[in-house]
Amino acid sequence: MQKLDIGVLPVSNGQRIVGIVSDRDITIRAGRKGMDPERTAVREVMTQEVFTCPAASDALVACALMEEKQVRRLLVMETGEAPVGIVSLGDIALHLRREKAGSVLKRVSEPA
């Protein structure tokens, strides 16, 4: 992650996506449990519930899903369930009206 300057990676078991791990997962979950990040398996700190959207989805559909699920990132899937990317709230803020991104962030950040 540091080498690629990214904050999140999908986790797979063969061709099947089994989770997603963020830099926050590593620092918060591993740190809270006193785990050494260099010796902790990704499966121990990853988020197992992964939310996805089809690659052809409208950005506003992705926003609605982020709001509903209270997440800041979605795994983007191509036909046949192959991951092709990740869309983040930051991506949306850069490409859509800033007030829409602010609205999504507000809803994502609300307590569940």
Side-chain angles (χ1 to χ4, degrees):
M1 291 171 130
Q2 185 177 8
K3 184 177 175 181
L4 297 174
D5 193 29
I6 57 174
V8 66
L9 286 169
V11 180
S12 67
N13 183 359
Q15 296 296 313
R16 190 172 63 90
I17 300 297
V18 295
I20 194 164
V21 65
S22 70
D23 49 3
R24 189 169 194 272
D25 290 331
I26 294 167
T27 57
I28 301 296
R29 289 188 182 149
R32 185 180 327 142
K33 295 178 181 177
M35 301 169 145
D36 178 353
E38 292 186 20
R39 293 188 174 96
T40 301
V42 170
R43 72 179 156 272
E44 294 180 53
V45 295
M46 73 180 185
T47 299
Q48 292 181 12
E49 190 170 23
V50 179
F51 298 105
T52 65
C53 70
S57 293
D58 183 278
L60 293 178
V61 170
C63 285
L65 185 57
M66 286 180 188
E67 288 176 9
E68 176 189 336
K69 301 300 184 182
Q70 291 191 300
V71 295
R72 290 177 168 83
R73 297 176 179 106
L74 298 171
L75 191 59
V76 179
M77 306 295 281
E78 192 57 71
T79 310
E81 297 301 308
V84 295
I86 295 173
V87 63
S88 71
L89 185 54
D91 297 328
I92 289 169
L94 288 174
H95 297 286
L96 292 181
R97 299 183 323 264
R98 293 208 185 273
E99 61 271 11
K100 180 60 183 172
S103 163
V104 174
L105 177 59
K106 182 178 178 186
R107 290 193 181 113
V108 165
S109 300
E110 291 174 353

